């Protein structure tokens, strides 16, 4: 049986979106309102996107766009993230050298 997350859907969405975009665990933790980057690492380890370094840029962009579409609420015409990603740019950033698989 899958383990139930103790984080809200909005928090998980923020972490997934920021991770796919290319942000670090530290930045993601700060924006998502988590106490440590270790919490982000745990969320990512259980996600379908744990190996973002192994994904090409086109695949990461496609997954980020899909994630945005899934979490868009047609009734409210907004994303289900408590407004924390209103100014978010939905274009991936290239991974720096230490974020890439060698």
């Amino acid at each position: 049986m899958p383990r139930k997350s103790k984080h809200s859907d909005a928090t998980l969405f923020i972490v997934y979106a920021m991770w796919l975009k290319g942000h670090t665990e530290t930045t993601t933790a700060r924006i998502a309102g988590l106490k440590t980057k270790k919490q982000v690492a745990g969320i990512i380890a259980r996600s379908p996107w744990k190996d973002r370094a192994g994904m090409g840029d086109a695949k990461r962009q496609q997954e980020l766009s899909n994630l945005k579409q899934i979490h868009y609420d047609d009734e409210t015409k907004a994303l289900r993230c408590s407004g924390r990603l209103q100014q978010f740019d939905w274009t991936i950033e290239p991974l720096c050298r230490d974020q890439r698989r060698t």
Side-chain angles (χ1 to χ4, degrees), residues 56-95:
D57 287 349
K59 177 70 172 166
R60 279 182 42 230
Q61 183 62 60
Q62 178 186 14
E63 292 293 325
L64 184 61
S65 297
N66 290 344
L67 186 67
K68 179 182 179 184
Q69 186 177 20
I70 289 167
H71 285 272
Y72 185 77
D73 188 345
D74 289 325
E75 289 181 23
T76 63
K77 305 287 187 224
L79 293 169
R80 297 179 190 118
C81 63
S82 306
R84 292 184 277 179
L85 292 181
Q86 284 184 352
Q87 304 298 322
F88 191 72
D89 178 15
W90 292 90
T91 306
I92 64 160
E93 296 175 357
L95 299 177

Side-chain angles (χ1 to χ4, degrees), residues 1-19:
M1 188 150 113
R3 187 172 141 188
K4 178 144 172 65
S5 177
K6 56 185 167 183
H7 302 292
S8 70
D9 286 342
T11 298
L12 294 175
F13 171 62
I14 292 165
V15 169
Y16 296 155
M18 292 190 69
W19 180 253

Side-chain angles (χ1 to χ4, degrees), residues 14-16 18-19 23-34 40:
I14 292 165
V15 169
Y16 296 155
M18 292 190 69
W19 180 253
H23 288 289
T24 64
E25 291 172 353
T26 303
T27 302
T28 301
R30 188 170 12 101
I31 299 299
L34 300 172
V40 172

Side-chain angles (χ1 to χ4, degrees), residues 36-55:
T36 67
K37 69 179 189 174
K38 189 173 179 180
Q39 290 175 293
V40 172
I43 292 169
I44 294 303
R46 292 184 297 278
S47 80
W49 307 288
K50 60 185 165 200
D51 185 25
R52 77 171 175 190
M55 304 168 89

